[in-house]
Amino acid sequence: MVEKSDEYWMAYAIEQAKKAEALGEVPIGAVIVKDDVVISTAHNLRETAQRAVAHAELLAIDEACRKLNTWRLTDCTLFVTLEPCVMCAGAIVMSRVDRVVFGARDPKGGCAGSLMNLLMEERFNHRSEVVSGVRELECSDLLRHFFHKLRESKNMSKKNPIIWK
């Protein structure tokens, strides 16, 4: 059996990101894989659920723990379209995910190399291998287009205010 590539699995995360976008969520998707098998998939639901912790990575971690019946996700790889934030990086470390593969960098909030690298912080009792830039252009384009449409929509509502009679 030939092991599937990081690019292959990132395509699954991109599919999840598109599901988030269809809901009006920031298009971020995550997939957890163990032994070349998908354990869990998730996408952002923060706006839909109005829950600060409804990030794709946290939802995927929670589902993987349920399916594997353990909080230790050793031998698992998390694929995510955007570099994990501080909250998600903490959950990755605490759940013992061995490897994290992400697409787009997050220069304002990324904690897997951009602002800092909590996933490889030597003071923690667990570190995750980090691979960045997998299908980066596709992941970045999803976010860029989403935020462009959002800004356009806000500008249109300013130009055409609703007049109540």
Side-chain angles (χ1 to χ4, degrees):
M1 183 171 104
V2 176
E3 192 173 307
K4 295 175 180 76
S5 68
D6 290 346
E7 290 77 11
Y8 176 88
W9 293 117
M10 187 61 74
Y12 275 69
I14 290 169
E15 286 177 25
Q16 289 298 310
K18 288 177 181 177
K19 289 180 182 181
E21 184 177 31
L23 296 172
E25 295 279 350
V26 176
I28 301 170
V31 177
I32 295 180
V33 175
K34 182 176 182 171
D35 299 327
D36 229 23
V37 174
V38 172
I39 303 301
S40 65
T41 61
H43 53 273
N44 265 13
L45 289 173
R46 191 166 64 166
E47 296 299 328
T48 302
Q50 288 297 298
R51 291 178 29 232
V53 297
H55 287 206
E57 300 96 309
L58 295 179
L59 297 172
I61 287 169
D62 193 45
E63 181 64 20
C65 289
R66 267 198 288 270
K67 282 188 178 173
L68 296 174
N69 198 32
T70 182
W71 62 268
R72 292 178 185 90
L73 299 179
T74 53
D75 300 322
C76 289
T77 299
L78 169 67
F79 294 87
V80 62
T81 55
L82 182 65
E83 180 179 0
C85 69
V86 64
M87 176 174 62
C88 294
I92 290 164
V93 170
M94 297 308 291
S95 62
R96 311 294 197 266
V97 173
D98 283 340
R99 189 166 176 262
V100 175
V101 178
F102 70 85
R105 289 200 172 277
D106 184 356
K108 294 182 180 179
C111 288
S114 288
L115 292 178
M116 63 186 70
N117 192 341
L118 292 178
L119 299 179
M120 305 249 338
E121 173 56 53
E122 291 182 10
R123 293 174 289 182
F124 289 135
N125 65 342
H126 177 80
R127 283 169 290 294
S128 300
E129 175 190 346
V130 177
V131 177
S132 63
V134 175
R135 297 182 85 147
E136 183 173 16
L137 186 58
E138 289 171 79
C139 295
S140 296
D141 281 349
L142 275 171
L143 291 159
R144 191 174 12 266
H145 293 302
F146 174 81
F147 285 112
H148 177 74
K149 284 191 289 188
L150 190 63
R151 282 189 300 275
E152 240 178 30
S153 171
K154 285 182 180 179
N155 287 339
M156 288 303 292
S157 66
K158 286 179 185 176
K159 290 178 184 175
N160 301 314
I162 297 173
I163 300 172
W164 299 99
K165 293 185 179 187

